[in-house]
């Protein structure tokens, strides 16, 4: 090794053809630069480690979600896109060569199909009555069942039971209850000396009868959701309002109801979407035990968009036309949902 006595920070020796700089005698600017470089390198390494960890966690999350996403794509998204394409064809579900007709199905549906327009009106009527009544009853029962009382758990179970019972079975039972001669409802009317009604064979009463059943069937679900919302309201707020002298109605209107806004918003959204798609009760009521008319009720008085779609697809085998009805039903529900979100979301507070 050769040594050379030079100024501090200069060459101090040569070993194996490489030049060494004595760090102990390095000039102050060189020491500062080395420390700064080390200080900057540490955060970069930590950031790189965080990015690697985030990517790994993201891949793990998608791996766990993959089975559910696969089912969602195969059985929901792909059929939905397929229906949009199907609406542009004339097809009977049997022939191998469907005919492309463009927007002809939509032209017929919106311009010349009187039954479709009637089904739209009756669907709106069904939704406008079923949703508010079932929500109001659900909220009332939830408030009553939220208080401590004997048999509260049994009553909660009994009210929720109709929602989880088989739909077709309950509709058949209610068809017997609507029977014009042996039905329970006409027996009640007769007890009050009122005329009997031909519930399911009269164009004026068939849809109100189905609405009556739907309210009974959906109220239990609303009760459970409202009870969950009431459970999240701190009891200290109710106690403070009671100490301040607020009456029961004032506590409900000024305290409970505003705090239930997120729950009410959810119930309203789900109820409207479900009511627009009603099919099974109409199918069984108008072609089952209690009624003698064809599907859709007498004079198609119970025809809704969902039931009309079903008959076009699986009775008339007009698959392309049914696809066009599906697209319009989707657009109607989407428009109603956007209007609801735009009007009500600003009045909903989650904290």
């Amino acid at each position: 090794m050769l040594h050379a006595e030079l100024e501090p920070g200069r060459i101090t020796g040569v070993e194996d053809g490489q030049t060494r700089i004595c760090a102990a005698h390095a000039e102050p600017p060189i020491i500062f630069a080395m420390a700064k470089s080390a200080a900057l390198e540490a955060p970069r390494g930590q950031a790189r480690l965080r990015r690697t960890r985030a990517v790994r966690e993201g891949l793990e999350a998608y791996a766990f979600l993959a089975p559910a996403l696969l089912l969602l794509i195969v059985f929901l998204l792909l059929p939905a896109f397929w229906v949009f394409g199907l609406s542009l064809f004339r097809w009977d579900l049997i022939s191998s060569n469907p005919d492309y007709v463009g927007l002809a199905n939509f032209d017929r549906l919106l311009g010349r199909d009187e039954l479709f327009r009637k089904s739209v009106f009756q669907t709106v009527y069904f939704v406008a009555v079923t949703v508010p009544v079932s929500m109001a009853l659900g909220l009332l029962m939830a408030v009553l069942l939220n208080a401590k009382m004997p048999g509260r758990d049994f009553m909660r179970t009994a009210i929720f039971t109709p929602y989880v019972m088989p739909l077709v079975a309950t509709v058949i039972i209610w068809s017997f209850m609507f029977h014009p001669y042996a039905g329970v409802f006409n027996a009640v009317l007769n007890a009050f000396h009122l005329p009997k009604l031909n519930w399911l064979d009269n164009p004026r009463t068939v849809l109100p009868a189905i609405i009556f059943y739907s309210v009974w069937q959906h109220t239990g679900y609303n009760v459970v959701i409202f009870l969950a919302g009431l459970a999240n309201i701190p009891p200290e707020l109710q106690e403070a309002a009671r100490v301040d002298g607020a009456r029961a109605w004032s506590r409900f209107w000024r305290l409970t109801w505003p705090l239930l806004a997120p729950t009410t918003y959810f119930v309203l959204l789900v109820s409207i979407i479900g009511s627009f798609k009603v099919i099974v009760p109409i199918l069984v009521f108008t072609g089952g035990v209690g009624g003698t008319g064809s599907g859709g009720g007498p004079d198609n008085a119970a025809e809704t968009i969902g039931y009309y779609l079903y008959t076009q697809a699986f009775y008339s085998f007009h698959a392309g036309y049914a696809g066009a009805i599906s697209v319009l039903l989707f657009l109607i529900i989407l428009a109603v949902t956007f209007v609801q979100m735009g009007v009500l979301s600003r009045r909903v507070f989650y904290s």
Side-chain angles (χ1 to χ4, degrees), residues 229-244:
L230 290 170
N232 290 326
I233 298 178
E236 295 82 6
L237 298 178
Q238 295 281 356
E239 185 64 27
R242 191 179 295 108
V243 170
D244 289 341

mmCIF file of all heavy atoms in Angstrom, residues 229-244:
data_model
loop_
_atom_site.group_PDB
_atom_site.id
_atom_site.type_symbol
_atom_site.label_atom_id
_atom_site.label_comp_id
_atom_site.label_asym_id
_atom_site.label_seq_id
_atom_site.Cartn_x
_atom_site.Cartn_y
_atom_site.Cartn_z
ATOM 1 N N GLY A 229 -82.284 0.092 13.807
ATOM 2 C CA GLY A 229 -82.000 1.519 13.874
ATOM 3 C C GLY A 229 -82.278 2.102 15.245
ATOM 4 O O GLY A 229 -81.503 2.928 15.757
ATOM 5 N N LEU A 230 -83.368 1.684 15.868
ATOM 6 C CA LEU A 230 -83.689 2.176 17.214
ATOM 7 C C LEU A 230 -82.660 1.739 18.237
ATOM 8 O O LEU A 230 -82.371 2.462 19.199
ATOM 9 C CB LEU A 230 -85.084 1.683 17.620
ATOM 10 C CG LEU A 230 -86.270 2.305 16.884
ATOM 11 C CD1 LEU A 230 -87.555 1.560 17.216
ATOM 12 C CD2 LEU A 230 -86.407 3.787 17.234
ATOM 13 N N ALA A 231 -82.091 0.551 18.044
ATOM 14 C CA ALA A 231 -81.074 0.064 18.982
ATOM 15 C C ALA A 231 -79.807 0.903 18.945
ATOM 16 O O ALA A 231 -79.033 0.901 19.913
ATOM 17 C CB ALA A 231 -80.745 -1.396 18.681
ATOM 18 N N ASN A 232 -79.573 1.609 17.834
ATOM 19 C CA ASN A 232 -78.366 2.438 17.714
ATOM 20 C C ASN A 232 -78.547 3.839 18.295
ATOM 21 O O ASN A 232 -77.592 4.614 18.325
ATOM 22 C CB ASN A 232 -77.962 2.548 16.241
ATOM 23 C CG ASN A 232 -77.426 1.238 15.701
ATOM 24 O OD1 ASN A 232 -76.784 0.477 16.421
ATOM 25 N ND2 ASN A 232 -77.681 0.972 14.427
ATOM 26 N N ILE A 233 -79.748 4.180 18.714
ATOM 27 C CA ILE A 233 -79.984 5.500 19.321
ATOM 28 C C ILE A 233 -79.607 5.431 20.798
ATOM 29 O O ILE A 233 -80.137 4.591 21.539
ATOM 30 C CB ILE A 233 -81.455 5.919 19.157
ATOM 31 C CG1 ILE A 233 -81.806 6.037 17.662
ATOM 32 C CG2 ILE A 233 -81.713 7.242 19.869
ATOM 33 C CD1 ILE A 233 -83.252 6.400 17.410
ATOM 34 N N PRO A 234 -78.694 6.265 21.252
ATOM 35 C CA PRO A 234 -78.285 6.209 22.667
ATOM 36 C C PRO A 234 -79.472 6.448 23.599
ATOM 37 O O PRO A 234 -80.212 7.431 23.429
ATOM 38 C CB PRO A 234 -77.251 7.338 22.793
ATOM 39 C CG PRO A 234 -76.762 7.560 21.396
ATOM 40 C CD PRO A 234 -77.936 7.276 20.507
ATOM 41 N N PRO A 235 -79.701 5.588 24.572
ATOM 42 C CA PRO A 235 -80.834 5.791 25.490
ATOM 43 C C PRO A 235 -80.692 7.051 26.337
ATOM 44 O O PRO A 235 -81.693 7.558 26.852
ATOM 45 C CB PRO A 235 -80.815 4.520 26.360
ATOM 46 C CG PRO A 235 -79.413 3.994 26.244
ATOM 47 C CD PRO A 235 -78.939 4.374 24.872
ATOM 48 N N GLU A 236 -79.464 7.554 26.468
ATOM 49 C CA GLU A 236 -79.276 8.777 27.267
ATOM 50 C C GLU A 236 -80.017 9.957 26.659
ATOM 51 O O GLU A 236 -80.497 10.851 27.379
ATOM 52 C CB GLU A 236 -77.785 9.114 27.390
ATOM 53 C CG GLU A 236 -76.969 8.088 28.150
ATOM 54 C CD GLU A 236 -76.572 6.902 27.281
ATOM 55 O OE1 GLU A 236 -76.841 6.964 26.058
ATOM 56 O OE2 GLU A 236 -76.014 5.927 27.815
ATOM 57 N N LEU A 237 -80.130 9.979 25.316
ATOM 58 C CA LEU A 237 -80.842 11.081 24.668
ATOM 59 C C LEU A 237 -82.327 11.049 25.014
ATOM 60 O O LEU A 237 -82.932 12.086 25.307
ATOM 61 C CB LEU A 237 -80.642 10.995 23.154
ATOM 62 C CG LEU A 237 -79.204 11.121 22.643
ATOM 63 C CD1 LEU A 237 -79.154 10.974 21.130
ATOM 64 C CD2 LEU A 237 -78.617 12.475 23.056
ATOM 65 N N GLN A 238 -82.912 9.853 24.988
ATOM 66 C CA GLN A 238 -84.322 9.728 25.354
ATOM 67 C C GLN A 238 -84.533 10.122 26.821
ATOM 68 O O GLN A 238 -85.505 10.807 27.166
ATOM 69 C CB GLN A 238 -84.792 8.288 25.118
ATOM 70 C CG GLN A 238 -84.783 7.844 23.661
ATOM 71 C CD GLN A 238 -85.981 8.379 22.899
ATOM 72 O OE1 GLN A 238 -86.868 9.022 23.461
ATOM 73 N NE2 GLN A 238 -86.011 8.118 21.600
ATOM 74 N N GLU A 239 -83.619 9.686 27.674
ATOM 75 C CA GLU A 239 -83.754 10.003 29.094
ATOM 76 C C GLU A 239 -83.623 11.499 29.336
ATOM 77 O O GLU A 239 -84.376 12.073 30.148
ATOM 78 C CB GLU A 239 -82.689 9.233 29.884
ATOM 79 C CG GLU A 239 -82.809 9.380 31.385
ATOM 80 C CD GLU A 239 -84.105 8.792 31.912
ATOM 81 O OE1 GLU A 239 -84.645 7.871 31.267
ATOM 82 O OE2 GLU A 239 -84.579 9.290 32.960
ATOM 83 N N ALA A 240 -82.690 12.143 28.649
ATOM 84 C CA ALA A 240 -82.531 13.590 28.811
ATOM 85 C C ALA A 240 -83.774 14.336 28.350
ATOM 86 O O ALA A 240 -84.223 15.291 29.000
ATOM 87 C CB ALA A 240 -81.304 14.059 28.032
ATOM 88 N N ALA A 241 -84.355 13.904 27.220
ATOM 89 C CA ALA A 241 -85.575 14.557 26.732
ATOM 90 C C ALA A 241 -86.733 14.328 27.697
ATOM 91 O O ALA A 241 -87.557 15.228 27.927
ATOM 92 C CB ALA A 241 -85.926 14.016 25.344
ATOM 93 N N ARG A 242 -86.791 13.132 28.298
ATOM 94 C CA ARG A 242 -87.862 12.851 29.260
ATOM 95 C C ARG A 242 -87.693 13.712 30.518
ATOM 96 O O ARG A 242 -88.686 14.218 31.070
ATOM 97 C CB ARG A 242 -87.834 11.365 29.620
ATOM 98 C CG ARG A 242 -89.060 10.914 30.414
ATOM 99 C CD ARG A 242 -89.004 9.426 30.724
ATOM 100 N NE ARG A 242 -89.085 8.633 29.483
ATOM 101 C CZ ARG A 242 -88.082 7.968 28.952
ATOM 102 N NH1 ARG A 242 -86.879 8.003 29.533
ATOM 103 N NH2 ARG A 242 -88.249 7.260 27.858
ATOM 104 N N VAL A 243 -86.462 13.889 30.972
ATOM 105 C CA VAL A 243 -86.219 14.735 32.144
ATOM 106 C C VAL A 243 -86.589 16.182 31.860
ATOM 107 O O VAL A 243 -87.108 16.898 32.731
ATOM 108 C CB VAL A 243 -84.737 14.621 32.574
ATOM 109 C CG1 VAL A 243 -84.394 15.658 33.634
ATOM 110 C CG2 VAL A 243 -84.449 13.216 33.096
ATOM 111 N N ASP A 244 -86.358 16.613 30.611
ATOM 112 C CA ASP A 244 -86.696 17.990 30.247
ATOM 113 C C ASP A 244 -88.187 18.204 30.051
ATOM 114 O O ASP A 244 -88.614 19.321 29.747
ATOM 115 C CB ASP A 244 -85.970 18.376 28.953
ATOM 116 C CG ASP A 244 -84.475 18.540 29.177
ATOM 117 O OD1 ASP A 244 -84.073 18.716 30.343
ATOM 118 O OD2 ASP A 244 -83.708 18.466 28.182
#
